[in-house]
Amino acid sequence: MASFIFFLLFLFIILGGTTPAVGQSSDQSECYDWGESSESAVAVMEAESGWLSCPLFSHPSVYNYSSTQNPGHNLFWYRLPEGHDLEQPITYSNLSSCSKIAMRLKVLRRDDVVPGNSCLPAVAMAATPVMIPLQQGAKVDCPDLQNANKMADGEPTVTWFHGCNKFPFGSSDRQLKGVSLQVHVMMDHYQGLYYCRVQYQRRGQTLNFTRMLNITGIYPDSLPKVPSILQPTKDKVLIVRQDKEVRLVCRGLFPYVDSPWDIWWTVDGKTVEQLNDSRFSKVKTRQVKYDYGDRQEESVLVIHDFQADDRNREFNCSVKNGRGFETRRVRLDVEVVLPSVELGCGLGVTLVLMLLLFVVYHIFWLELLLLYRSWFGTDERHTDDKEFDVYISYARNSEEETFVLSTLRRVLENELGYSVCIFDRDSLPGGTITDETLSFVARSRRLLVVVSPGYASQGSQALLELKAGIDSMALGGHLRVILVQYRPLQRQGWVRELRGARVALALVRWQGDKSEDLTSHFWKRLRVELPVRRVNSKEEGGSGKDVALMRLSSQNSTNSQTGLISNTVKHPENVYNYAA
């Protein structure tokens, strides 16, 4: 619990008469009592000296009782200890006119001010603010030192502290000049609480008191000190809603100057108080930012139930201090509000349509892509001189060979109308396998590779075909390589050439019975990768047969010359020397 000692001190101002001795009786019924002073109690540390200043000398409703202007006026003090009822007179006079006022004195102990283990001096009074411009100097005096000079028998001594550090502070920028602290160059880290302890002699007794100062660095005086408006910006037009509350924010920057400042709103040249309209009110001004003495203050004007006629009013934000003044107008416009029902319905329909389009594309993207190709795609037969649409590469003597000859070739040629090249069927006997393979691949628009566990073993025909296709694709030719996976195959089982090119190649997976129908995902996906083919109904019905008859005629002619019985030429799986 705080240990305070309170006194009520009654101060009398006596006009005229003589001054009797202490205890002399006098009629005080005519003395006007102002009651207790509204100023806060005067705090003094126990065992320290302090001063009381009579508020009647500065009271706005009382005469000026300066002793120099009114030498016949006398001031007398009375004390009323805590718990007593009777005033103890000190001195008073015969009254011709009298006024009295009470002041409260509070005596503090050290434990009431700072913790017992703190190194900071005990101070009863609040810190005195001191502003020093950065990179500039100033002389700082201890508060109430002038009172001690008037009462001391000799010259008082002053000891300075910065926090817990006693002078000297280890810096040449802060030195003592007599009893004053001289700051030669103000730095940021010099800011903080300073303490000054004054000690002096009076009538053989040593007296002392301690005061606290809050030294703050501010921006130099060379910078502009005129206030400015940060918000609203110049020529700003605010969009507001009718019949709603509107809050107009005015934010001003006030550089530090030792003068009053103000920020306010006016409506048609009148302040909110002068306007006397309940629809307009203001929020208490608040500090937004403080930076080395410069402060940003914010004032808010509230318009309740905004009306269309308010657009024609003049709303001005104004700021001022001792160096200048600025004002700025903010213009208001009413927001055009679309009907919420129509807006919500339109937004809902748009979202539903977008969702439907997404679903349709996600499910039917192959059909849409094929439809687009049929309308806008270019038939490559009219743009190049290639002979074949597709060259099929596969592992010989395997299950994939049956799939190629019985299913893949049949559908591509007879159902889809593509010209297909199969080396074992279309090559002429007696030729060089490497040269003919490279020639077939170069004359094809697509290389269809049916991958399998035994595909492209080292030195095989399939490896030669694969390397030729990848080389042609890498060199910027018009050939594209398509991978068809007939059976599930782990990536580790692929040859090095396929593993390296897999990222850039399209892969179409055969899914057994599900892929046999021409409307299955396999055939749609494969058609997307194959060249665009446009044929009319007559060509569509006869193209596959014509191709088969033409090849059969060519093969029969060749067989008759070579004496072969079969019309199909097959080559065994031999090892060929080929450098990719």
Side-chain angles (χ1 to χ4, degrees), residues 337-540:
V337 181
L338 295 176
S340 57
V341 176
E342 289 81 352
L343 182 61
C345 292
L347 182 60
V349 171
T350 302
L351 292 176
V352 170
L353 289 176
M354 292 178 62
L355 180 61
L356 288 176
L357 290 175
F358 176 77
V359 172
V360 168
Y361 179 77
H362 184 72
I363 298 176
F364 302 105
W365 69 277
L366 283 175
E367 288 79 356
L368 294 174
L369 189 55
L370 289 173
L371 181 62
Y372 175 82
R373 282 160 51 93
S374 67
W375 286 350
F376 304 105
T378 302
D379 193 333
E380 296 181 24
R381 291 179 298 180
H382 306 313
T383 60
D384 60 28
D385 57 352
K386 300 294 181 73
E387 180 179 350
F388 302 102
D389 291 319
V390 182
Y391 181 96
I392 302 179
S393 175
Y394 57 93
R396 275 65 172 177
N397 302 324
S398 64
E399 184 179 346
E400 283 76 6
E401 183 175 15
T402 304
F403 165 69
V404 169
L405 298 179
S406 63
T407 302
L408 198 58
R409 179 204 60 80
R410 175 181 57 82
V411 174
L412 292 178
E413 287 186 341
N414 300 335
E415 304 294 340
L416 302 181
Y418 288 104
S419 57
V420 179
C421 178
I422 300 177
F423 183 86
D424 293 344
R425 182 192 69 179
D426 298 328
S427 63
L428 297 176
T432 303
I433 296 178
T434 302
D435 294 340
E436 289 197 18
T437 300
L438 296 178
S439 175
F440 281 138
V441 172
R443 287 182 288 160
S444 302
R445 298 182 179 90
R446 302 289 186 273
L447 173 62
L448 200 62
V449 177
V450 181
V451 294
S452 63
Y455 179 84
S457 59
Q458 185 65 33
S460 67
Q461 171 73 16
L463 180 60
L464 177 62
E465 296 164 345
L466 174 63
K467 290 184 176 181
I470 293 178
D471 288 348
S472 178
M473 187 174 179
L475 293 175
H478 296 287
L479 177 70
R480 287 173 53 188
V481 180
I482 307 170
L483 304 181
V484 174
Q485 182 175 300
Y486 178 67
R487 288 182 296 171
L489 179 65
Q490 296 294 331
R491 189 174 185 273
Q492 291 78 4
W494 294 23
V495 294
R496 177 173 54 84
E497 288 78 6
L498 280 179
R499 287 199 301 268
R502 168 65 186 90
V503 178
L505 303 180
L507 177 64
V508 185
R509 291 182 174 87
W510 176 265
Q511 296 178 338
D513 295 340
K514 294 171 55 177
S515 300
E516 290 183 355
D517 197 312
L518 286 179
T519 60
S520 65
H521 182 273
F522 173 81
W523 293 110
K524 292 177 182 178
R525 182 73 177 86
L526 187 59
R527 288 173 60 192
V528 169
E529 302 299 331
L530 293 175
V532 175
R533 176 64 68 246
R534 286 201 183 97
V535 294
N536 53 35
S537 59
K538 183 177 180 180
E539 292 174 337
E540 194 172 344

Side-chain angles (χ1 to χ4, degrees), residues 177-249:
K177 190 174 183 179
V179 293
S180 301
L181 177 63
Q182 179 68 49
V183 180
H184 296 288
V185 180
M186 181 62 187
M187 307 293 289
D188 180 76
H189 56 277
Y190 292 166
Q191 298 184 106
L193 294 177
Y194 287 72
Y195 301 85
C196 54
R197 181 174 296 160
V198 179
Q199 187 172 351
Y200 60 95
Q201 297 289 327
R202 175 177 170 78
R203 297 178 181 177
Q205 185 179 7
T206 301
L207 303 177
N208 66 84
F209 63 88
T210 305
R211 295 293 181 262
M212 180 168 55
L213 304 92
N214 185 13
I215 297 182
T216 304
I218 61 175
Y219 284 116
D221 296 335
S222 58
L223 298 178
K225 298 297 181 180
V226 177
S228 59
I229 296 176
L230 304 178
Q231 185 181 351
T233 56
K234 192 175 182 180
D235 300 326
K236 177 70 174 179
V237 178
L238 296 179
I239 306 300
V240 298
R241 301 187 65 176
Q242 190 169 335
D243 301 325
K244 300 294 182 180
E245 180 182 281
V246 176
R247 301 173 74 88
L248 303 181
V249 178

